Amino acid sequence: MKARNSSIISLRRGNLSMQKVIDLAIVYLENAEKLEDPDIRLLLCYDAELSLSQVKKTAKLPEDKAMSDRVADAYWRLGDLMDDHNHKSEAQAFHKKAEKWGDRIPETSQPTEHTHSTDPEDSVQPAPQSATDTSAVVQSPNASQDELQPSNTAMISQEIFLPNACPFVINVQPPKDADIRLKDTLQLACCLGLLQSSIGVDDIPDLGARTWLKAINDKSEEEERLMALATGVIRVFKNDKSKDSKAVTEVAHLAHVLEKDDFRNLVNEFISGIDDLVLLDVHQLDGLAHLIQGAKTGYLVTDDLVKILEFLSTRLTGTHQQSTEHLYPLTMAVSRVLDAMVDAGVEDVDREKLHQPLSSYLDELQKSSHAYLVYQAAYAYQALLCVPDNETLVQATIRRTGKVMQGVFGLVSAVKGLDVNGFIEGLGKIQEGANEILQVAKTVYDGAKALKESGQGFLDCLKEGLSFERKRAWYTALRGADLLIRDGHFTEFRDLVYEVPCRRDVTFQWGLCQRLGEIAASPKWDAGTRRDAITFLGEIYRNNQDWDNQAIIKQWIVDILLQLTTLAGCDTQSTQDILSNLQKDGDAKRQTSHQARKNSTELSPIVVTSEAVGNPSLLDRVQERTEVEGSLRQLKKQRMKEREQRLKERGEGVYISPQAKANLQTRDDVRFTLMNKVDEFIESDQKVFLLLGDSGAGKSTFVRELEGQLWDKYKGGSVIPLFINLPAIDKPEYDMIAKQLRKAEFTEPQIRELKINREFILICDGYDESQQTQNLYTCNRLNQPGEWSGKMLISCRSEYLGNDYQYRFQPGDRNHQADSGLFQEAVVTSFSAGQVEAYISAYVKKYQPLWKAEDYENALKQIPSLNDLVKNPFLMSLSLDVLPRMIDLGKDISAVGITRTALYDQFIEHWLERGKKRLQEKALSPQARAAFESLIDEGFTRNGIDYLKKLCATIYKEQSGQPIVTYSRYKDEGSWKSEFFGRDDEKQLLREASPLTRNGNQHRFIHRSLLEYGVALAIFDPQDWKERPAPESTLARRGSVSSVMSSDEQEEPNDISPIVAQKPPPESPLTWRSFVKEPSVLQFLEERVQQEGLFKQQLLGYIELSKEDKKWRTAAANAITILVRAGVQFNGAKLQGIQIPKANLSSGVFDSAQLQGADLRYVNFRGAWLRGANLSNALMTGVQFGELPFLEQDSKVELCTYSPDGNTFAVGLSSGKINVYSTSTWDILRTHESNGGRVASLVFSPTSSQLASADRNFAVRLWGVGAESRSHILTGHSNWIKGIVYSPHGHRVASASADKTLKLWDVETGACRLTFTGHTDCVTSVDYSSRGNQIASSSNDGTVRLWSTDTEECSRILSDPDNNSWVTSVRYSPQGNQVTSVSWDETMFIWDVDKGDLLYTLAKYGNGVTPVMYSPNGQQVASANVDKAVLLWNIKSGEGHTLLGHTSEITSVAYSHLGDLVVSASSDKSVRLWDADTGVCHQILTDHSESVSSAAFSPNGDQIASGSYDKTVRLWEVRAGKPRHVSSGHSSNVQEVVCSPNGGQVASLSDDKTVRLWDMATGRCHLVLQGDNEGVSRVVYSPRGDQIAIGSVNGEVQQWNVETGARFQTMRSHSAKVNSIAYSPQGDQLASASDDYEVRLWDVGSGYCRFTLTGHTGPVSDVVYSPAGTCLASCSEDTTVRLWDVKTGVCIHIFGGHTKPVYMVVYSPQGDQVASASEDTTVRLWDVKTGKRLHIFGDRGKPVYCVTYSPNGGQIVSGSQDGTVQLWNTESGEPLWTLTGHSGQVNSIVYSPQGDMVASASSDKSIRLWNVVSGQCQAVIDDFQARINDIAWIMASGGNFLAAACGDGVVGVWQLMTDDEVRLCWRTRTGELNVKTAIVQHARGLSKLDKLLLKQLGAIGDPASRFQEAGKKVTTMLSVVSELKGSSDTALMDPVLSGGASVEQLERWLEQSRSPLCQDIVAAIVKSIHGYK
C-alpha cells in the first residue's frame, strides 16, 4: 500500500512527540473500527498509516518494549481493517510490519485512556464527524478548534483532489496497437506521455492506456519511433509559413514530451516567428508562453532565458500603445520567462539594458483599465523582483533580503520533493524578510486591505490590493503551486493552498482561482480532476470564514466559471449547478453583477489550450511521408537474428575487443582500443574511417560487433547503422545504399524517404573481397546535395592495397581531395600477450574443451611457431579447436612445428567429421541416407575435401574469387553453380557438412581465408600424390649447395620419397589465374613448398616449361613468386628465356642468375638481390625496382624544393647554381647561375612559373621556370637576405634582411613597392598571411611585427614583456588567424592576429630552434632544436611529441600534404620519416654519405627529396616501406655465427633474442631457439654437435637439443650477463664467464655447478679450454688472464701485464701457449707451463678486439680498431704482415682450415680474404648493408665456405670457388636492392630513370636505347609481314595485311605465333586499323 497524502491535521504531526503520534494513530483506528461508512473508515485508515509512517521516519526502533508493542498492535489493527475492505495485499503488508515491530497487545490489555502523553496540551484525540458531513474533517471531541485548526488553515473537503492525477496524460485514447497509425498530435502526445511516465502500468486508471502499454514489447524503441514523429511535426511546423492558431495549438501539445534539442529548436522557431512579424501574433505568443511553462528542468539555460526576455521586452516596448488584446498575451509570456528565470536562479541581469526598463514598463501597466492585464503585470513585476540585476548595490540588497532570497530560490527543490511543510516554512521566511526590509505596517499574513462590498469598482479593488514595489510571498506560493500542478500532485497542491501564510492575500487568491480555472479547462487532466477544480472554486467562493473573500475575488471566480460553461469538453453541468447555487446564495446586487459579468465582452480570464488542429494537421503532413521506422525495426531484428545464427553456426562465442595502430607504418606496440577510436570518429566531423588488417585479424567480427552496438543505441529518427557486405552487392560503386536497402525489402518510397531525410553510418565490410578499386565514398556521392548523407566505415585487408591507397577512400578525387581531416585510418594489430591469455581463459570457460587453460598456455610457451600464429584472432580460434587433436600432452612437444597450413588442414578435417556426425544423427530421407552411406564408404572426409577444393577453384575461375555465390534454382539450373548447390543428395550432404553459411540464396564460407585455403589445396594437395608412381627425375638441380636450375648437377634431399618429378599438372589453377596479388593464397602455397619437395619440383617445372611455350607464363609467374616467398634462392640458376611477366620477385635472391632474354615485363624486383645476374636482352618493360635514382650535382646541395603543381623540382647549390628538373623524366629543364655564392633561400611562386632565390650578394633573384619567363635581380638590401616569400596570388614577393628592413617587390617589373622599417636588429624571417593583406616578420630585437601590405605601417608589435630573446622564425597558420613565433631562448608563442593577444606558450625546447612549420590543417606545428629532437605540438591542447633518433643537428622539417607524416633531415647523414599523430619513426633513409641539408615532400606526398653535402639529391618513395621480410630471418643485429662440428649446420645469435639454426646446404632455418626476455649473449656447439649452449643476459646458461629444438637444461647461478661459454673437448663440462666476476664449471649431464672460480675483480670477458681439456683460461676487464685446473678449480697462473681490459683469450693448437688481446693495443703470448710472457705484439696504437692461432700454431693473427690485420710468427715474435684495406674496426678474424688464408670481417661492411704467404688480398666480399660482427670458416662437402653475421640481421654463406672467386650460396634477406655487376646489356623496355638507377647501383652494360628498340621493332615487323605472307592460311593472311581481318581470325593467328613481340606488333596493326584493343 502506497503512502496516502496527508489530511489537514496530518500536516501538523511534525510538531508532536513520538508518543503523541502513536496516540493519534490509535485514535484514528478506534474511530475507524466504530464507523460503518466505508469511505470514512478508509480515510481514517490512511491517516493512521501516515501517522505510523512518521514514527518510522522520525525515530529508530523504540527501546521501550511496551511502546514497540503499541506500534505493532496498531499495524495489526490497520491490517485487519484493510482486510475487511478486501484490500488483501495491503493488509498482508501491514501484518508484516507488525511482526517487525513487536508483539500484538491482547485486547484485555489495551488502554482505554491515553496516558502516555505527559503534556495535556499536546494531547490530540481526533474523532469522526457524522457520516453526513461532506467535509469529512476529523476532529477530536476534546480538542478545541484552535488546537486542530490554526487561524490561517482552511477547512475544505478532503475529497477534493484525493488521488493524484497521472501527469500530462491527455484525455484521449492511445491506438489499440503500436503499429496503428496515430490519428492526431493529441494522441501522439498522449502516447509519449504514457511512455515517459514514472507511474506503473497497473496504476494507470485508463484501461485503454494500460492495454496499449502492455502490448508494447520494447518501450524505449517505441518511444524512439514516436519521438521521431514529434521531431517531424516540429520540422513541418518550421516549414509552415502561416503558423496559424491551429498549428500553434498542435505543436504546443508536444511541449512537455519533447527531447531537449527538439524543445530548444521549437522555442527558437517561435521567437523567430514573432520577431519576423510586424504585427504581434497572439497565437504564437500563447504558444511561446505554453512552451516555457512546460519546459523540463535544464531545457532552458540562463543565456536562453535572458535572450528570450530581452526579445519580449523589446516587443513589449513596441506594443505598449497597442491594444490590451496584444499586451495581455505578451505580458503573460514575459511572466512565464521570468518564472523560469526565478526557478533557475538567474542573477546579474543587466540593469540598464533590461531590468530597469522592463520594471518601468510593467509599472506603467497598472494604469491600465483592464483588470486582467493589471494582475498579469503585477505577477510579472513580482517575478522580476526575484531576478537580481547587476547593480553594484545588489550585494547590500542581498544581505538585507537574505531570507527572501532563501525562500525564493531554495523552495523549488522542496516542492519537487513534495515537502510541503518545508515549503510553507520557506514562505514564512519570505514574509519575515519582506517585513524586515520594507517595514510593512500590515503583514502579508493578514492579506491585502479588506474591501467591503461598499460599491467599490472591480478594477479599483484589484489595484488597491496589489503592490508593484514590494516582494510578496504570494508570488512564491503560486510558483510552488505551479510546480505541483505541472507534475499532477494535486493532493499536495490542495494541502499547500490550505496552509500558505498568504492564503488570504487577494493577489494569491486571484492567481489560485486562475490556476483552478486552467485545470478545469485543460483536456490534459481526467474528468474527476477537472470537476474537483470546479468544486474547489465554488468552495472558495462560499467559504468567507476561511478565505476572507473580497468582492473582487468572487467576481473573478464568476468570470472563470462563466468562461468554463462555454468550453467544449468541460463539465458544463457542474459549472452551471455551482453558478446557480452561488446566485441563489447572493443578494439581488450580486446576481445583477453575475449577469453583467456574463454579458461582458472583455478578454477571457483564463488561457485555454484548444484541442482543435488543422486539417490536414501537422502530424498528417508528417505521416504523409513514407513510414520507415517499422521497417528499420524489422531490419534491426533481422540483423540481430542473423548475428545469433552466425555465432551458432561458427561457434564463435568469444569476443576480445581488438586493438589497433594508427597506420601501416606505425609499430605494433603503439596501439589503442579500436572501439574507442571508432566512437570518436562517429562523434567527430570526419566522414570516412578505413579499417585495415591482415586476414583473420578480426575486422569482420569487429564491424559486426560495432553494428550490434549501434543498433542497441539506435533511437527512432537518429542515425541509422547500415551494414553492407560489399561482395554481396553488385557494383557497389553505384547506388550502394539503395541496393542494400532493396535487399532488406525496403520499398522505393521508403528508400526515397531515407535518402532525403535520414543519415547513415555505413559499415562496409570486405572492400578487398569485392575486388574494388573505386572510391565508394565519392562514387556514391555521399553528402552531396540531394544525395545520401552519412559516414562510412570500410574494412579491407592490408595486403590488398598498394603503397598509395588513401585516394581510394578519402573524400574528393585523387587530385583534389577534400580536407584530410575528413579521413581516418586504423590497422587492427595482432593479439597482445594479454589478449591471448584473455581469449584462452574465455574459450575454456565457455566451451570446456579437452585441454585446460594452462595446457594451452604451456603449448604456446614451448612451440614458438604456435605462439606467433595465435596472435591472429581467426587462427587463435582454429588453434584452440584443433590443438588437442594435433598434440599429445604426454610427450615432449617442444620439437613440434605447427604451421598455418597445418592448422587449416586439421580444422577442415575436424569440421567435416563433426558435420558427418551431425548427419548421422539427423533424420534423413531414404534417398539421402543411401547417398550418405555411399559417401561414408568412399571416405566422407576425403569427399568433403574434394568438394571443398573443386568449389574454391571454380569460384576463383568463374567469379574471380568473389566469395559470395548467389544460387537460384531456376535461373542457375545447369550452370556451374548447380554442380555444388543443386538438389543432388550427395552435393547437399557435402554442402551441409562443409564450413559454408547461407543467407537466403547467397552462400559463402564462414571465413574468407577458408576459400583461399581451398584454392591453395586445389593447386597442391599432398594427399593426391602420395601413392602415385615415381618416375626418374627430369629436373635435377645444378650449381651451388642452395641454388636451383643452375649449371652443375647435384642431388638435393627432399621431404617426400620417392619424388614424383613429372610435367606439372596442366589443369592447375596456377595455369589460368594469376595469384601474384593474392598474398593469403601465396602464404598457404609457400608453406607447402617448405613442407613438400614435390610441390617445389612442380613449380620449377612450370618455370622450365615457360622457356618454350608462352601458355605457361602465368603458371611460371605464379610459380617463381611462390618459390621466392618460400625462401628458395636462385643463385647461379639457368633461367634464360623464362617468361614470368608480372611476377613478384621482391626480396628474391638471384646472385649470378642467368636471365638472358627472359620476359620480365612488369616484374617486381623491389629489394631483390641481382648481384652479377645476367639480364642481357631481357624484356624489362615496366619493371619495379622500388627505388629512384639520385640526382648528381657539382657542389653541395643547400636547398631543394618541389613546385606547388608538382611538375618541377629545384635544387640550390653552394656554388650559387640552381638546377630545375622535370619530375616526370627528371631531366634538367634549366640551370640558373649567379655570382653571389651559395643559395640561401629558394622558393617557388604559387603558380609554379617562377623561382625566387637569395644569395650572399644581398640580392633577391627571380628566375623563370618556363622557356619564356622573365628574370629579375632585386637589389636594395644592404645585408644578407634572411627570408623570401611570395604573396598568395604570386604578384608580390617579400624579403627580410639582416639590414633590419623588409621589402615588398613587384614580380612583373621587379620594382620595390614598399620598404618596412621599425625593427632595431636583424630581421630573421618573413611570412605572408593567407589573406594576402598582411606580412609578419621576426627579428633579433625580440619582436614580431605585423605589417599592412597596402601601406608601410606596422599594424601590431607582438612581444612578451618577460622575453627579449632573438625571435628566429615566424609563420602564419594556414587559416591566417594566428601567427607562431619561435625564440632562441627555447620558447614558442602563438598569437592572435586580429587582437594581438598571446594565445599559447607551447613549450620549452632546448637551445635553438629551426623554422617552425604548420601542418596543412593548422592544428599542429613542427620544429626542431639543435639538441637533435623534432618537436610536434598540438596547438589547442598544448600536448605534443619529442621525436628522438637523430644523432646530430636537424637541418630541415616538413609536413606531407595530408599532414599525417613529417620528414626531418639531419647532419647525421640520415632522413627520418615520422608519424605526425603518434610520433613513431616509420623509416630511416641512410644512403647519403654527408650531412643532409634539406628535405621536402612532393605536393601529392608520394615522394621525398633530400639534398646533401655529398653533392646528391636522393628521391625516396614515401609509402613504399620495406619489402616483405622473410619469416625465417633475424629481425635485428646478428652478433655471432658458429658452425656445427660436422659442417652441416650454422647457428646465429641475434639481438632479437633468438638463436636460429640454419641448414648449411639449403639455407633453410631448421629451428628457432627463443631465448630469455632480456636477450641472448653467446652460443656454442657441443663437440659432437648434438647440443647447443646459449648464454643469456639474465645470467642463465641453457642447453638445447639441436635435432628437436627442445631445451633440456637451464643452469642458474650467475647474477649478471654471461659473456662467454665453452664446451670442454670431451663434451662433459661447460664453462661460463659472467659480468658477476665469476667463472662457473657445469656438469653437462646433470646441470650441476661443479666449481665457481673466483678471483677476477672485474667482468670476465672470455673463457677457453685447453686442447686436452685439463685447463681453462679466462680473461677479464681487470686486465688479467687466469689459468685454472678444471678438475680442482684451482688457479694455476695469473698473467698480468695488460694495462687495460682484456677481451679475448685463445689457446694454441698444441696447448702450450695462450694469447690475449686487449684494449691496451697489444696482443700478449704466455707460456702455459711457466706462466711467463713470451711476446708482446702490437704497435698500432689502437685496441685489439680479436686474435687467433693458425691451425699449426706457427702464426697468430689479430684485428685492430684501426682496421688493420697483423700476422706474427709465434716462435720468433717477428711480424709477418700488416694487412691494410679495411676502413673500419676489425670485429672478427679466422684462419682457413688449411692455414693458407685468413678472413677478416669489419665494420666497414666487408669481408676480406688474405693470402698468408704473400700478404695479398685475394678477394673482397662487400655486398653488405651493415657491419659484419662475426665470421666462421666451414669445411663442408669438400668445399670451403664462409658464414657471416651482420648488423642488419643478415646471415649469409659464401663458397670459395677459387683463390679469388667467391660465390654466394645463400643469405637471409633484408630487402635492399643489389644490382652490383648485374649485366643489363641490350635489356629492353627500361625507362630512362630505371637505366640511370641501374647505372648508379653498379650494373654494367648498355641497355637498349629507344632507337635500337624502335629499329628492332621495324625489323621484327618486317619478319611478321614475311611470316604472314608465308602463311599457308591465305584466307587469314590477306585480311590481316589489308586491315580486314576479323577479331576471331586475329586471335587464331596470334595463337599460332610464338613470338611475344610479333603478337604485340600484330595487335598494334589491328588496333590502328580497326580501333580494336
Side-chain angles (χ1 to χ4, degrees), residues 1076-1092:
V1076 171
K1077 294 184 178 180
E1078 296 274 357
S1080 294
V1081 177
L1082 293 176
Q1083 187 174 356
F1084 286 115
L1085 295 174
E1086 72 176 84
E1087 289 184 359
R1088 290 290 187 205
V1089 169
Q1090 294 164 352
Q1091 298 161 1
E1092 308 288 346

Side-chain angles (χ1 to χ4, degrees), residues 184-186 246-247 249-250 253 610-618 620:
D184 54 35
T185 313
L186 289 174
K246 293 183 178 180
T249 298
E250 184 175 358
H253 285 314
S610 171
E611 295 186 34
V613 295
N615 187 19
S617 68
L618 300 177
D620 289 337

